[in-house]
Amino acid sequence: MSATLRRIILLSSVKRAWNLPPPCLSSAVSRLPISFSSISSPPQSNPSPSRIRTRTPLETQFETWVQNLKPGFTHPDVVAALRAQSDPDLAYDIFRWTAQQRGYKHNHEAYHSMMKQAIAGKRNKFAETLIDEVVAGACEMSVPLFNTIIRFCCGRKFLFNRAFDVYNKMLRSDNDSRPDLETYTLLLSSLLKRFNKLNVCYVYLHAVRSLTKQMKSSGVIPDTYVLNMIIKAYAKCLEVDEALRVFREMPLYGSEPNAYTYGYLTKGLCEKGRVEQGLGFYKEMRSKGMVPSGSCYMVLICSLAMERRLDEAVEVVFDMLANSLSPDMLTYNTVLAELCREGRGNEALELLEEWKKRDPVMGERNYRTLMDEVYFMNKG
């Protein structure tokens, strides 16, 4: 038993000796300062400068404005931010970003500001997108906003019908958003630009009549400019009686006829064959110190010459030259040819010489051409 006990004690002492570190090593380790900062990390490779993406100036400006628009921003804040932008693309980004924020929805002022930015920056696609949103009811109706849309649509041929869609939407609205004088001015002006041929004029004359009736029924008082456009539309279509009716109604609206009014009536009456009445409006205009346009002068001169009222035609030619306006070759040729047919060839030559002195635009070539025509007519 004693031998066995001694053997067990010896084995246990050997195991304890294995578990203890060597005295010299343990003391050395205990004296070493343990510091993770002293362990050097492997050197990090610097990224290549070509892989670093720098922000564009547009992105930097956008982030700056987004930071300026503090949470809870209002409509005036957004409108001020949009108006402060010189870049329409940046303004459009701000407009879209603010629309996505919770608790905010653009009003008519924000859409109006963005529309003007898009139009000024010639971002037509942006403008068309905004128009579709407004027509769909994205914001409340506003006369300035809708007039801006109509002006933009009237300036583009493929959006012409869209302008009348917006106008009809205004007609169906309440009293605060109904068309005003500017609306009718834009639409009538756009229609008259299409009065380039007689057969086309009749197509758009119905629209002019409808707009005129709706303007009166809405209580909108037209000014001289709008009334002149209506008179011009009727005169272009040779509806001179309607044009005269509008002319007589001008005092009822507090409008005074001007040179354009008399000019449209004079041209329309002469083209209709009512030369005497057209001459009367010309004389009334001149008595008030108004000067007709060049086209009005030439239509009147040719009409008088064709009716063999040559003395009056010659008088109008001299009046035209006195106002620094030059007839064209057709007008000169018409008067001179009618004089030759009346047997007044010598007078035609004298008039041609006098007109050459007073008309700096005639030129030597045109003078020679007219001279040959007069000689030819005299020989015949």
Side-chain angles (χ1 to χ4, degrees):
M1 286 294 294
S2 59
T4 304
L5 182 60
R6 285 198 301 270
R7 188 175 181 179
I8 293 172
I9 294 172
L10 180 61
L11 289 174
S12 61
S13 61
V14 171
K15 289 181 179 180
R16 285 197 300 270
W18 286 351
N19 292 332
L20 291 175
C24 60
L25 183 61
S26 61
S27 60
V29 171
S30 62
R31 288 195 300 269
L32 284 175
I34 300 175
S35 175
F36 292 101
S37 61
S38 62
I39 302 175
S40 61
S41 60
Q44 297 180 357
S45 60
N46 293 327
S48 174
S50 61
R51 296 182 180 180
I52 299 177
R53 181 183 179 277
T54 59
R55 289 179 297 180
T56 63
L58 186 63
E59 292 175 337
T60 304
Q61 295 177 23
F62 174 76
E63 292 180 1
T64 302
W65 278 103
V66 167
Q67 293 173 1
N68 292 337
L69 290 172
K70 299 178 181 179
F73 55 82
T74 60
H75 293 119
D77 297 332
V78 176
V79 172
L82 294 175
R83 291 177 179 175
Q85 307 309 319
S86 59
D87 189 342
D89 297 325
L90 177 58
Y92 193 73
D93 291 340
I94 296 174
F95 181 82
R96 289 306 182 199
W97 180 84
T98 51
Q100 296 173 358
Q101 305 309 305
R102 182 177 299 177
Y104 176 82
K105 181 182 179 182
H106 287 309
N107 64 350
H108 62 91
E109 293 181 352
Y111 270 97
H112 191 200
S113 300
M114 190 61 243
M115 272 294 301
K116 291 194 291 187
Q117 285 276 10
I119 294 172
K122 297 182 180 180
R123 300 299 191 270
N124 296 337
K125 292 298 182 182
F126 293 170
E128 293 173 23
T129 303
L130 294 172
I131 291 171
D132 293 338
E133 294 177 5
V134 171
V135 173
C139 66
E140 64 274 19
M141 299 183 65
S142 167
V143 174
L145 171 61
F146 276 48
N147 284 342
T148 301
I149 294 174
I150 290 175
R151 182 182 291 105
F152 174 77
C153 294
C154 288
R156 282 147 188 83
K157 185 176 181 180
F158 62 94
L159 291 177
F160 179 69
N161 294 331
R162 194 63 164 166
F164 282 89
D165 294 339
V166 177
Y167 167 73
N168 291 327
K169 187 177 180 65
M170 296 177 72
L171 283 178
R172 295 190 296 267
S173 65
D174 54 9
N175 293 329
D176 294 336
S177 302
R178 293 185 67 82
D180 60 358
L181 181 59
E182 183 182 1
T183 310
Y184 290 105
T185 302
L186 292 170
L187 293 173
L188 287 171
S189 178
S190 179
L191 284 171
L192 283 176
K193 291 178 182 178
R194 288 159 172 78
F195 277 55
N196 49 2
K197 295 181 181 179
L198 187 60
N199 55 348
V200 178
C201 293
Y202 289 104
V203 176
Y204 294 105
L205 184 61
H206 175 71
V208 174
R209 282 198 177 101
S210 299
L211 286 174
T212 305
K213 292 179 181 178
Q214 291 167 359
M215 178 175 58
K216 292 180 179 180
S217 62
S218 300
V220 177
I221 300 176
D223 58 2
T224 303
Y225 181 72
V226 171
L227 292 172
N228 280 346
M229 286 193 290
I230 298 172
I231 292 173
K232 182 180 180 180
Y234 284 127
K236 280 270 190 179
C237 296
L238 302 182
E239 299 281 347
V240 291
D241 292 328
E242 292 293 327
L244 291 172
R245 179 183 58 80
V246 177
F247 171 75
R248 297 187 187 99
E249 291 177 355
M250 293 185 74
L252 301 177
Y253 302 112
S255 300
E256 290 291 332
N258 54 20
Y260 292 102
T261 312
Y262 287 106
Y264 297 146
L265 291 172
T266 301
K267 289 172 61 177
L269 289 167
C270 290
E271 291 173 353
K272 186 70 173 179
R274 296 159 65 171
V275 181
E276 181 64 31
Q277 200 170 0
L279 181 62
F281 278 103
Y282 162 77
K283 291 180 178 179
E284 182 180 349
M285 172 173 47
R286 296 299 292 133
S287 66
K288 294 182 178 181
M290 302 176 187
V291 179
S293 63
S295 60
C296 178
Y297 266 121
M298 290 185 285
V299 169
L300 179 60
I301 292 169
C302 292
S303 299
L304 290 171
M306 294 297 292
E307 289 200 351
R308 303 296 177 88
R309 302 173 65 169
L310 299 174
D311 293 334
E312 293 170 313
V314 171
E315 182 181 352
V316 177
V317 171
F318 278 111
D319 183 55
M320 184 177 183
L321 293 172
N323 288 291
S324 302
L325 296 172
S326 301
D328 58 6
M329 287 289 290
L330 178 61
T331 306
Y332 278 129
N333 197 17
T334 302
V335 177
L336 294 173
E338 293 300 327
L339 284 170
C340 292
R341 290 190 181 97
E342 289 288 323
R344 300 163 63 177
N346 293 331
E347 184 180 353
L349 290 173
E350 294 175 0
L351 286 172
L352 180 57
E353 291 290 340
E354 184 66 25
W355 290 341
K356 182 180 181 298
K357 296 177 183 178
R358 300 192 182 192
D359 187 2
V361 182
M362 180 182 290
E364 189 67 27
R365 182 177 179 180
N366 292 335
Y367 169 74
R368 293 291 182 185
T369 303
L370 292 172
M371 183 67 71
D372 293 341
E373 290 289 337
V374 172
Y375 276 122
F376 177 78
M377 293 291 294
N378 286 333
K379 288 181 180 180

